[in-house]
Amino acid sequence: MGMEREIKLTLPPDQVEAATQWFGARAGTPGRAIELKNIYFDTPQLALAHSKSALRLRHAPEGWLQTYKTVGDAKDGLHSRHEWEMPVAGEELEIDALLNACDEASAADAVRQAAPELIELFRTNFTRTLWNVNVDGSTIEAAIDRGDVVADVDGEKRRAPILEIELELKSGDEAALHTLAAELGNAIRGLAPDNVSKAQRGYQLRKG
């Protein structure tokens, strides 16, 4: 089990270019853009959402991954949550492998009970531009995400935009996240802490 720690910030549309240039200068390298397509699963009764967890398949440049996260805590844009991620053969969940890896009893029970009824609920499709930034000896993966949440509800296709910055601690001290976020906030106007995950946005979209 890993503990994911990241700061999420909403990014005003008119500040995308400024943020892109700022990260390039701070990291000393152009950003690397990748396409990410994600499928989120739950039961029709939203059992995983009620257990405060989320399950997805992601198609990334390296192939398919399945990821299971707890909601965890989110305050002032800082998200701390348990995460289990592993490669899978294709566009299909591998529940047995996930259960073998999941070492949090309540989280494993939630997946086990939901597994027979899991269905696709919504998708998130976005371009992620990535930089690795060093801050006081810590490594942070900085990303600008641009795309959409998409859900089919009773034959109606619903969409909501994604435009955000994620600063994820890869190694070192959590204080480095706050240092980098403060630097960024001083350079880019209009940023705001975002306590809502992409999965939560998908559930909100389905509710209308």
Side-chain angles (χ1 to χ4, degrees), residues 50-151:
H50 293 315
S51 72
K52 298 184 178 180
S53 58
L55 177 62
R56 76 173 183 225
L57 281 176
R58 164 171 287 178
H59 189 255
E62 62 268 29
W64 285 95
L65 303 168
Q66 67 179 5
T67 306
Y68 182 46
K69 298 184 181 186
T70 62
V71 172
D73 298 314
K75 183 178 180 181
D76 298 328
L78 176 64
H79 295 247
S80 299
R81 54 204 170 198
H82 297 301
E83 178 184 71
W84 298 266
E85 185 168 79
M86 64 195 68
V88 292
E91 192 176 339
E92 186 173 347
L93 292 168
E94 297 180 8
I95 298 297
D96 288 344
L98 179 58
L99 289 173
N100 286 336
C102 187
D103 52 0
E104 181 79 17
S106 60
D109 286 343
V111 172
R112 187 178 295 107
Q113 293 175 23
E117 297 184 83
L118 288 174
I119 59 171
E120 178 184 328
L121 278 194
F122 55 87
R123 298 188 177 217
T124 64
N125 303 314
F126 54 92
T127 300
R128 169 167 286 175
T129 306
L130 291 164
W131 297 264
N132 285 323
V133 182
N134 294 316
V135 180
D136 300 329
S138 298
T139 301
I140 295 171
E141 182 182 82
I144 296 177
D145 291 343
R146 305 178 68 183
D148 296 283
V149 185
V150 182

